[in-house]
Amino acid sequence: MKKNLLIAGLIGVATIPPATAVTKCVALDDGYYTRCTPGDANGFDWTADCTLNGAATHVEGIAICSSVSVGSRGVARATLELSSEFDDNVYCWCKMTSPAVSYYISSDYEYTTAYACYQRCAQQCTIEINDMAFREGLMPTLSD
């Protein structure tokens, strides 16, 4: 019985195809060649349409107002802290959600009030997608 199970297991292993990697191509880069046109900015959602060498990519993302300040555009963080004090959340962060998912990327934009941040951060993200330092922070963090 053990011999039959061993033989069946070996046959199964021999017939299973090897895993292959899948690469997703997105028409974005972190250099001078990507050009993006700001799209909608509604609430915390933002969009942009980007072109790289004639290939178009529709980008979607979310905006977050956090209490975390890094003092530099393009810094990436996997998570963000939100202060329980509403007025401390004045720093605008952007996250791409489609065609791939990124970390939160600092826009290095500080609003005078949290309310102003919540009103304008998504629009700031549509502008930041054209900034090289912002995209340099964005590209290494992409995943599906």
Side-chain angles (χ1 to χ4, degrees):
M1 185 62 156
K2 288 182 184 180
K3 181 179 175 185
N4 289 340
L5 287 174
L6 181 61
I7 291 171
L10 289 173
I11 291 171
V13 169
T15 59
I16 296 174
T20 56
V22 175
T23 301
K24 184 177 206 175
C25 294
V26 177
L28 295 174
D29 74 352
D30 59 0
Y32 294 103
Y33 302 107
T34 298
R35 294 290 174 249
C36 299
T37 302
D40 294 330
N42 297 314
F44 296 109
D45 298 321
W46 58 271
T47 66
D49 291 306
C50 301
T51 305
L52 174 65
N53 298 328
T57 298
H58 180 72
V59 177
E60 297 178 4
I62 59 171
I64 299 291
C65 293
S66 173
S67 59
V68 176
S69 168
V70 294
S72 180
R73 179 178 286 118
V75 173
R77 293 187 60 136
T79 61
L80 287 176
E81 296 82 35
L82 300 178
S83 174
S84 60
E85 293 294 324
F86 179 75
D87 288 331
D88 291 341
N89 297 311
V90 294
Y91 301 100
C92 181
W93 291 76
C94 309
K95 179 174 185 165
M96 186 168 68
T97 57
S98 177
V101 178
S102 73
Y103 282 9
Y104 296 98
I105 309 299
S106 169
S107 71
D108 191 33
Y109 203 88
E110 177 183 356
Y111 291 90
T112 55
T113 66
Y115 183 71
C117 185
Y118 286 106
Q119 284 185 312
R120 298 184 193 114
C121 184
Q123 184 63 44
Q124 186 63 33
C125 293
T126 67
I127 296 166
E128 294 294 339
I129 196 74
N130 269 315
D131 183 82
M132 264 186 44
F134 183 84
R135 282 203 312 265
E136 285 173 353
L138 179 76
M139 292 303 153
T141 71
L142 298 181
S143 66
D144 278 338

